[in-house]
Amino acid sequence: MKRREFLTRAGAGSLIAGSALSVSNLAKATPKYKWKMVTTWPKNFPGLGTAANLLAQQINEMSGGRMEVTVYGAKELVPAFEVFNAVSSGNAEMGHGAAYYWKGKSEAAQFFAAVPFGLNAQEMNGWLYHGGGMELWREIYDEFNLIPAAGGNTGVQMGGWFNREIKSLDDLKGLKMRIPGLGGEVLKRAGGTPVSLPGGEIYTSLQSGAIDATEWVGPYNDLAFGFYKVAKYYYYPGWHEPGTTLEAIINKKAFNSLPKDLQTIVMSACKVANQDMLAEYTARNNDALQTLVHKHKVNLKPFPDVVLKKLRTLSDEVLTELAAKDKHSAKVYASFKKFRDSVMQWHDISELAYYNARNL
Ligand code: CA
């Protein structure tokens, strides 16, 4: 009796173990949805590329192997600035980049990445998730067969790398600078020439003199690209990108072909990547800054108040004029501005008052 009981239990046990194993093997061997994620970043680039990797990994694991998302760096499948087209056309199911790269498709897209003197990271998330921003973003991207999601945030960026001191607005005149989106429009008004370049092409352009100055992200990323070797002055703050949202874009048809639970997994994984990137930058930026200043002897400087005030005035002009000529931008800017005015009242007596108190 004991022996028979043992055999039965052993048999049942191995049957359960066997079937569990075969189900998991089957799922791993044949994912039902194999997606390509094209990105605007060099493969595995710290913070930006690794967020795309995390996003894919989260989807793959949360789906229990039913989905398999493979990440491609810039130029592996398509060049950085072809990501939008590749996902819009369905050649890739997903992309990871920044919305201001697509101003040629829709001027209004820029509001969902960064606005000069606009929202910081925390405020961008507030506007997108709970302030009506996401609905507008979806509306703008819908005509391109795309579903957007926030897929990362850098926090406040740095003002950029220069080979001359910036003492007045005149020092920006004639400057050829890599600076994307609305910040680039503001530089143009200050008499400079904005250039949009993917990250992977900035260093050689600065080294060769094809551009005079550049901004990229912040110390963690700027150290990785080695800009300190070709520019002397490192300015702050990043008035032009106060909390840049990176985006995940998903082909609408591909998304709609997923069952509801996988759709939820994809969108939730984007939220994980969005949060994790900001945490990574927050944790890593200062060590990198100290290395730049102490080891590489970078000349760290704040923009003078007089320069920032003028850039602020020019930024308001750029935004007002953009809203006057483009109806999508008008709608998005109205929502953005209303949110900014409101959140500033709250943050003046919370975040800002606390920063001030901490520095007393
Ligand atoms: Ca930037």
Side-chain angles (χ1 to χ4, degrees), residues 100 157 178 180 215-217 240-241 244:
Y100 52 37
Q157 299 201 355
R178 185 274 179 189
E215 68 77 56
W216 174 227
V217 182
H240 63 304
E241 297 200 47
T244 304

Side-chain angles (χ1 to χ4, degrees), residues 109-221:
Q110 300 174 97
F111 287 92
F112 304 105
V115 174
F117 300 96
L119 303 175
N120 68 15
Q122 196 173 336
E123 294 163 351
M124 275 301 284
N125 287 331
W127 178 55
L128 290 173
Y129 293 142
H130 294 282
M134 188 55 77
E135 288 78 3
L136 290 168
W137 197 358
R138 281 188 163 230
E139 197 178 302
I140 301 292
Y141 275 29
D142 190 66
E143 66 170 296
F144 302 101
N145 300 314
L146 292 172
I147 295 171
N153 197 301
T154 63
V156 180
Q157 299 201 355
M158 287 292 284
W161 297 85
F162 300 82
N163 270 315
R164 62 165 89 149
E165 271 194 84
I166 308 298
K167 290 179 181 163
S168 74
L169 211 64
D170 280 349
D171 294 313
L172 296 174
K173 284 209 173 101
L175 202 73
K176 201 169 176 189
M177 180 174 179
R178 185 274 179 189
I179 174 171
L182 293 162
E185 286 304 307
V186 176
L187 178 76
K188 198 190 278 178
R189 275 177 201 240
T193 305
V195 178
S196 191
L197 284 174
E201 293 170 30
I202 300 174
Y203 182 88
T204 49
S205 300
L206 194 56
Q207 192 181 35
S208 72
I211 54 173
D212 307 311
T214 189
E215 68 77 56
W216 174 227
V217 182
Y220 179 45
N221 280 169

